[in-house]
Amino acid sequence: MVTLNKITISFILVLFYLLTSCNINYNSKTDVQSTIASGNSYAKKFQIEKFDKYNIIRIFNPWQKADNVMFEYHLSKQKTLIPDSIFDENKFIQTPVKSVICLSTTHIGFIDALNELNSI
């Protein structure tokens, strides 16, 4: 059985792959109360904002010498749970993540360490 930690790491890997193709430089505002997730002591340069039915993950300056670059993704079990005011098909990731695309063979080693080679 896949543990929550493996799913989280798999999700971060999927986001890494998506970063190379999507560039988003805007701030979306909603009237819904949110909570900024904290307590991550291993990774930097990202923020997870938790809402009741969806989450928003923002990745800041994801590569060397990046300046004022931000990627934003909306995560939810269903598209309809995300408010229309911020929903964008190109920024939506259905959770839980069940498969990944490896754009480099070096990424396969990380997925193998998670014992998730079948998810490729």
Side-chain angles (χ1 to χ4, degrees):
M1 179 165 205
V2 177
T3 65
L4 181 60
N5 191 24
K6 288 182 180 180
I7 291 172
T8 302
I9 293 172
S10 297
F11 173 71
I12 291 172
L13 286 172
V14 168
L15 288 179
F16 174 76
Y17 301 130
L18 293 173
L19 291 178
T20 59
S21 63
C22 300
N23 186 356
I24 300 165
N25 290 317
Y26 77 94
N27 291 325
S28 60
K29 302 288 183 193
T30 61
D31 294 331
V32 181
Q33 287 287 5
S34 68
T35 303
I36 303 295
S38 62
N40 184 353
S41 59
Y42 298 103
K44 307 273 187 239
K45 295 188 174 185
F46 76 95
Q47 175 185 64
I48 300 173
E49 191 170 1
K50 297 185 177 206
F51 294 85
D52 289 336
K53 298 179 181 178
Y54 66 97
N55 296 322
I56 296 175
I57 185 165
R58 293 181 185 94
I59 295 109
F60 305 100
N61 301 322
W63 55 81
Q64 290 181 342
K65 299 181 184 178
D67 189 30
N68 295 321
V69 177
M70 182 190 71
F71 296 101
E72 180 175 279
Y73 299 97
H74 305 122
L75 293 75
S76 178
K77 291 181 180 180
Q78 299 174 351
K79 297 174 184 179
T80 56
L81 298 176
I82 299 172
D84 291 338
S85 61
I86 65 168
F87 179 76
D88 183 342
E89 183 74 34
N90 297 321
K91 297 179 270 177
F92 174 73
I93 298 174
Q94 186 171 0
T95 57
V97 174
K98 296 177 182 172
S99 62
V100 297
I101 298 171
C102 289
L103 301 177
S104 172
T105 57
T106 57
H107 300 140
I108 295 173
F110 296 109
I111 294 171
D112 185 34
L114 296 170
N115 201 21
E116 287 293 324
L117 286 177
N118 292 332
S119 66
I120 297 175

